[in-house]
Amino acid sequence: MALFKSKETTIEVDFDRLPRHVAIIMDGNGRWAKKRGLPRTAGHAVGAETFRTIATYGKDIGLDYLTVYAYSTENWKRPLEEVNAIMALLKKYLGEAIETMEKDHIKLNFFGDLTRLSPELQTLCAETQEISKRYEGYQVNVCLNYGGRDEIIRGMKAWQADCAAGRADPAELTEASFSQYLYSKDIPDPDLIIRPSGEIRTSNFLLWQSAYAEFYFTDVLWPDFSKDDLLAAIASYQKRSRRYGGV
Ligand code: IPE
Ligand code: IPE
Ligand code: MG
């Protein structure tokens, strides 16, 4: 058991009982900027830095998987100017992330329909995934143009195509076999899902995979989310009793 002293509180985390897979809905960038009288895009830029800090910290403390919600299938509804700014930031940060990955040996993977992204972004994602194949261990999944319902529908269509081609049999479908049609195939379900920004909803994140996840909500806005906030979420998770329907 390790004790962490932060400014106001002591955070108690048992590093031998960490959640294997933590997922985060990186929300609150716009409100963070508004509070400071800055354009929303300034919040996205600081939020991208926070992602970098937390992604590296996840490796330092010994998580196996970190999955972050960066852009949803519904986020296209935003003003074109904001969408373009987010896409420009993604391009910049993915380019830099390749260097970080090579330095820190972090595997980066993507969940989502990447075909709606610009050709340059798609190339960057493909390059990143190619480099990731060289590394073992800690993996970060970035959800880009991701929607939980969209993921399930895509999975169903792919499964249906396999059935029509004789590669799958409807009589044999199980939860485990269907999971193989999702972006998260071969990755364990998230143990802990964190949502900053004060909203208490999933907003279409990991619908299938979150069936037995523990949720942690905090009012902290994503650009302000610190290493201590991650530890506080893990400490809360470690106090819970996971029963999976049992006793
Ligand atoms: C999360 O922050 C980033 C994306 C959804 C792309 P928001 O932009 O949703 O920030 P708020 O919720 O408006 O504060
Ligand atoms: C969820 O946040 C998506 C991401 C953080 C990428 P939103 O800001 O889009 O969610 P709502 O609109 O508040 O539900
Ligand atoms: Mg939001």
Side-chain angles (χ1 to χ4, degrees):
M1 178 80 72
L3 295 185
F4 272 85
K5 276 256 176 252
S6 70
K7 270 166 260 140
E8 297 100 32
T9 49
T10 302
I11 306 167
E12 240 173 77
V13 170
D14 179 351
F15 286 93
D16 296 326
R17 281 194 315 116
L18 286 176
R20 271 193 85 190
H21 184 176
V22 173
I24 307 181
I25 300 172
M26 303 190 292
D27 194 21
N29 294 349
R31 280 164 283 172
W32 182 92
K34 193 169 175 215
K35 261 173 56 182
R36 286 162 180 76
L38 298 169
R40 292 176 57 83
T41 49
H44 296 312
V46 179
E49 287 297 342
T50 304
F51 161 66
R52 209 156 36 185
T53 305
I54 296 297
T56 304
Y57 192 54
K59 179 173 171 119
D60 295 343
I61 63 174
L63 300 180
D64 289 339
Y65 300 93
L66 177 75
T67 300
V68 295
Y69 204 4
Y71 193 85
S72 78
T73 45
E74 288 73 38
N75 287 146
W76 299 106
K77 291 180 196 161
R78 296 185 177 202
L80 187 61
E81 198 192 321
E82 179 169 347
V83 168
N84 287 342
I86 293 172
M87 293 299 148
L89 276 170
L90 280 172
K91 214 166 91 184
K92 173 173 182 279
Y93 278 90
L94 276 183
E96 291 171 11
I98 294 182
E99 285 166 33
T100 310
M101 278 164 58
E102 297 206 288
K103 184 166 68 63
D104 299 339
H105 290 198
I106 292 177
K107 273 175 89 126
L108 266 187
N109 182 37
F110 300 95
F111 290 0
D113 174 14
L114 304 182
T115 62
R116 216 177 142 184
L117 305 179
S118 71
E120 297 109 291
L121 258 178
Q122 290 185 49
T123 306
L124 269 176
C125 292
E127 269 175 36
T128 309
Q129 270 170 323
E130 202 46 46
I131 296 171
S132 287
K133 287 191 192 145
R134 292 189 221 143
Y135 306 128
E136 293 289 330
Y138 179 62
Q139 176 172 326
V140 176
N141 306 302
V142 180
C143 299
L144 282 185
N145 191 25
Y146 172 87
R149 288 184 170 181
D150 182 64
E151 178 184 34
I152 292 168
I153 295 288
R154 274 163 193 283
M156 284 177 68
K157 285 183 176 167
W159 172 72
Q160 202 276 334
D162 277 355
C163 289
R167 291 186 296 265
D169 176 356
E172 305 273 301
L173 187 68
T174 62
E175 292 180 11
S177 67
F178 185 66
S179 298
Q180 290 298 308
Y181 288 88
L182 302 177
Y183 296 122
S184 56
K185 77 187 175 81
D186 300 327
I187 295 172
D189 287 342
D191 300 294
L192 168 64
I193 298 183
I194 301 170
R195 181 163 194 162
S197 93
E199 307 301 352
I200 306 182
R201 55 178 170 256
T202 66
S203 301
N204 205 9
F205 189 43
L206 302 179
L207 296 184
W208 172 278
Q209 300 85 343
S210 63
Y212 272 100
E214 296 295 328
F215 283 88
Y216 179 86
F217 297 99
T218 168
D219 288 341
V220 172
L221 301 171
W222 176 248
D224 287 330
F225 194 89
S226 65
K227 295 174 181 175
D228 274 2
D229 290 316
L230 179 62
L231 293 179
I234 293 173
S236 164
Y237 163 86
Q238 288 181 335
K239 291 201 191 87
R240 307 194 192 170
S241 152
R242 299 182 81 186
R243 289 185 289 278
Y244 299 97
V247 287

